[in-house]
Amino acid sequence: MVQFNFNERTIKAKVVYYGPAQSGKTTNLERIHRRTDPGGTHRLISLNTAQDRTLFFDLLPFSLGAVSGYDFQVQLYTVPGQVQYNATRRVVLAGADAVVFVADSRRAFLKENVAALENMKVNLLANRLVPEKIPLVLQYNKQDLPDLLPVAELNTVLNPWGRPTFAAVASAGDGVMETFLTVVQDMLHAIAVKYNLKDKGLDPENVPELVKAAFASVLERAAQDGAVPGQPAPEHAAPRMIVSQPPDSRAVPPATSTEAGLVSEELLHRAIRSNVELAEALGDLVREMNLGLASILSHAELLPIYKDDAREKRAAAIQSIHADAERLRGIVRRLGVASASSPAPPAAAPAPPAPVPAAATAGPPGLDSLVRDAVARVQSVLDGRGLAVTVRIAPGVLPPRPAAAVPELLAGVLEGVAGASAPRTSMALRCERKPVLMRGRDGDVRQDFLMMAVSHQGMLPADEQQRLMDGAGAGPLGGAARRVRELGGFVRFAPLPGGALETRVFLPTV
């Protein structure tokens, strides 16, 4: 979130570069660093793994100079694109004032771009930022490579809100400064409007001219150094970087160095390194657990039937294995996704959730029966596809408003999700309270929602997800999404590790 110091007349804001792995996020920051700070006054912090790839973030604070009497400073961050580092992406995105989404323009990477964009929306919401309203610029990078998607097609898939876009070759500097200048301009305009800075000397109408003037000396210096848009930056302008070594290298500079800020920076390096090592360990755990669970389920399906009267026992055994496996999957999923908004698990291991329609699950009176009514309505559909469903309701969660709408609405969600699920797999339904920061005429208001999230194996196309979020989808899921909007709620989607998807329905609580 933007930080003000009216005594010192400074404004500090944060821009995050988001996108899939290896799309060019770090390259953008390196180019901006070269153009704006050729002398290396500010250092670029980077963290690499043993494969020498930037995983955590680059921090680049610098000043744009006086803007209407204010010293406007920008901090630039990138996030790791790898799937297993979602917790890191969410933390880095916290407090962002603007976002640049860097996409790989090649046709073969469209799926990765869509997944990263949906992940960005989820993490913005988790940080109480509204994806539709935050200043956002899209950069279609790697335009120098073959088999590119047309810009119009990229816009159709990735830019439903009609935000500014730039074709770029970040490795050569093409489109880098244009993207950055535009996102700074949009961000500064939004800040000036939101905080009514016109009376303090920052008129939103004058923002384009002010940003242009603030960057005039930067662009002039870049031209004199031979670093102009469309041309590679000279070697002498390479950024002075502080690189945290791969996990197998433990050497660190002594804390007694006379260089200012070294102690705090080294603490930052150690914290980042520990975070990445933990994420790598959790990623390995997720893979191993999923392999083990798949083996358990495959053997369960092959249990022999010796007598006809053993069928019921076999079915009960398989159902029990499915329930235990789904419980373990939930634990693994929480570790892999590491949701910052999820409460910490209790010290004692909770009892495995019973498959629907078995014994009652935890939850307040009323909501449990509503959820079970919804599942019962689509039980034939679930049985037809061989889908097992487990339900978990967080203690103390409030029912939605009106509660009577839940069975029909949730039944539509379950039926639609079942149609997109792989046969003979498991679905998990969890209900919990989620506070959401809603933006209205009178400012931001915190409102509690009931979130009903259904995770399943299988994906919905990105265009279908967008239609559902807009209330224009077809089928049972589309009808449910429209009903959700009528009740003042909304629908979101979150990709999960292993090709799974979570459909999240938010309904206002009483």
Side-chain angles (χ1 to χ4, degrees), residues 73-290:
Q73 299 177 342
V74 176
Q75 287 184 317
L76 298 186
Y77 294 77
T78 65
V79 297
Q82 288 80 357
V83 173
Q84 65 266 35
Y85 296 103
N86 186 59
T88 300
R89 289 195 296 274
R90 182 169 294 182
V91 170
V92 174
L93 197 58
D97 298 292
V99 177
V100 174
F101 186 83
V102 182
D104 191 322
S105 301
R106 290 175 289 179
R107 188 177 302 274
F109 288 85
L110 180 60
K111 182 179 179 180
E112 286 79 357
N113 290 328
V114 172
L117 185 67
E118 293 302 318
N119 179 258
M120 180 191 75
K121 296 176 185 177
V122 170
N123 284 335
L124 284 171
L125 289 170
N127 282 298
R128 301 182 182 180
L129 299 171
V130 183
E132 294 85 351
K133 296 182 179 181
I134 192 170
L136 171 67
V137 174
L138 291 92
Q139 182 187 96
Y140 300 145
N141 194 24
K142 302 194 177 183
Q143 291 288 320
D144 57 330
L145 300 179
D147 193 28
L148 300 175
L149 282 169
V151 172
E153 188 170 345
L154 287 168
N155 278 332
T156 300
V157 178
L158 302 177
N159 192 19
W161 303 316
R163 301 299 181 86
T165 62
F166 292 91
V169 181
S171 59
D174 293 347
V176 171
M177 291 304 296
E178 294 87 343
T179 301
F180 177 64
L181 288 174
T182 300
V183 77
V184 169
Q185 176 179 309
D186 291 354
M187 178 178 65
L188 185 56
H189 183 275
I191 291 172
V193 171
K194 180 176 181 179
Y195 295 99
N196 193 26
L197 298 184
K198 183 177 181 179
D199 297 337
K200 298 179 175 64
L202 186 57
D203 190 340
E205 298 299 325
N206 297 333
V207 165
E209 292 77 11
L210 293 173
V211 172
K212 183 178 179 180
F215 273 101
S217 59
V218 172
L219 297 177
E220 181 181 357
R221 182 173 63 247
Q224 292 174 352
D225 291 340
V228 297
Q231 299 179 10
E235 292 301 322
H236 71 271
R240 184 160 63 102
M241 300 183 68
I242 296 178
V243 181
S244 185
Q245 298 297 326
D248 57 347
S249 177
R250 303 296 177 179
V252 296
T256 56
S257 171
T258 57
E259 186 172 2
L262 182 58
V263 174
S264 60
E265 287 175 351
E266 183 52 41
L267 290 175
L268 174 63
H269 295 168
R270 293 181 181 180
I272 294 171
R273 186 185 300 118
S274 298
N275 198 339
V276 169
E277 290 174 356
L278 176 60
E280 290 175 341
L282 292 178
D284 291 339
L285 174 62
V286 168
R287 286 190 292 272
E288 293 300 323
M289 288 291 290
N290 282 330

Side-chain angles (χ1 to χ4, degrees), residues 14-17 24-31 33 43-48 53-62 74-80 88 92 239-244 268-269 272:
K14 176 180 180 180
V15 178
V16 176
Y17 277 65
K25 304 179 294 296
T26 300
T27 304
N28 268 271
L29 260 69
E30 290 173 350
R31 289 296 177 184
H33 190 279
R43 288 162 293 179
L44 193 63
I45 299 174
S46 177
L47 179 74
N48 296 340
R53 294 176 60 192
T54 303
L55 280 179
F56 196 72
F57 65 81
D58 305 292
L59 172 61
L60 175 57
F62 61 90
V74 176
Q75 287 184 317
L76 298 186
Y77 294 77
T78 65
V79 297
T88 300
V92 174
R240 184 160 63 102
M241 300 183 68
I242 296 178
V243 181
S244 185
L268 174 63
H269 295 168
I272 294 171

Side-chain angles (χ1 to χ4, degrees), residues 378-411:
V378 294
Q379 193 63 55
S380 60
V381 176
L382 299 174
D383 292 341
R385 295 186 61 81
L387 298 172
V389 180
T390 58
V391 177
R392 184 171 183 174
I393 301 177
V397 65
L398 296 176
R401 185 182 61 243
V406 169
E408 181 178 359
L409 185 154
L410 183 55

